[in-house]
Amino acid sequence: MPLPPQMFTTANQLLDLTDKKLMVVLRDGRKLIGVLRSWDQFANLVLQDSIERLFVKDLYADIPRGIFIVRGENVLLLGEIDLDKDDHIPAPYRKGSPEEVHALFVAQAADRRRSDKTKQKKLQQLGFEIEHTGEILF
């Protein structure tokens, strides 16, 4: 008995999404929105008219990126955007200027790094070994 076509999890499933507007979430947390124009057997993607959407607290901003090539191993999640709901902004969010949102994003990342460093110090005091701290030990 042959398996149904939906059982195959290869890059060929991207065929149905070609020329459609997608949101792609990358492993580093970035969110890209663009039209899928091309892809290959490794699920490397080419997005046209892409934007990067930054979220900070209750603000978001869209930063134009143009044509964006994404390496397949960096894709965490992707999905088609419903064009009927594309312009709808969910309740807690409001659009801000890219400069304002980027400044808040940088400040939030700095706060997170400080918090993580404090947690790591506390865990080391309790006897835990911290991995991936970025330090080279010889």
Side-chain angles (χ1 to χ4, degrees), residues 8-23:
F8 297 103
T9 58
T10 64
N12 285 333
Q13 287 188 332
L14 294 171
L15 185 60
D16 294 340
L17 297 174
T18 304
D19 296 329
K20 293 188 179 167
K21 193 170 189 178
L22 304 178
M23 175 177 272

Side-chain angles (χ1 to χ4, degrees), residues 11-68:
N12 285 333
Q13 287 188 332
L14 294 171
L15 185 60
D16 294 340
L17 297 174
T18 304
D19 296 329
K20 293 188 179 167
K21 193 170 189 178
L22 304 178
M23 175 177 272
V24 180
V25 180
L26 302 180
R27 287 185 353 188
D28 64 0
R30 288 187 288 173
K31 292 154 192 73
L32 301 172
I33 298 172
V35 178
L36 180 64
R37 290 299 181 200
S38 185
W39 48 273
D40 65 10
Q41 71 269 24
F42 303 109
N44 297 320
L45 310 175
V46 176
L47 298 175
Q48 183 182 14
D49 300 327
S50 63
I51 59 168
E52 181 177 353
R53 187 163 283 175
L54 282 178
F55 291 94
V56 179
K57 299 180 184 175
D58 62 344
L59 288 176
Y60 80 93
D62 292 338
I63 302 167
R65 297 294 186 202
I67 293 180
F68 208 95

Side-chain angles (χ1 to χ4, degrees), residues 61-132:
D62 292 338
I63 302 167
R65 297 294 186 202
I67 293 180
F68 208 95
I69 299 173
V70 180
R71 187 175 170 115
E73 68 181 19
N74 291 322
V75 175
L76 183 66
L77 176 101
L78 70 89
E80 185 179 354
I81 292 180
D82 185 353
L83 296 176
D84 294 334
K85 297 180 181 179
D86 191 20
D87 295 329
H88 174 70
I89 300 172
Y93 293 103
R94 60 186 172 83
K95 191 167 187 168
S97 72
E99 295 81 14
E100 176 188 12
V101 173
H102 186 265
L104 289 170
F105 185 80
V106 169
Q108 186 180 48
D111 287 344
R112 187 179 305 119
R113 279 193 300 275
R114 272 194 301 278
S115 172
D116 288 349
K117 201 168 202 171
T118 304
K119 288 176 189 176
Q120 287 177 357
K121 284 182 183 178
K122 183 64 176 173
L123 287 170
Q124 282 178 336
Q125 290 171 355
L126 294 172
F128 289 93
E129 185 176 326
I130 307 300
E131 294 181 10
H132 309 296

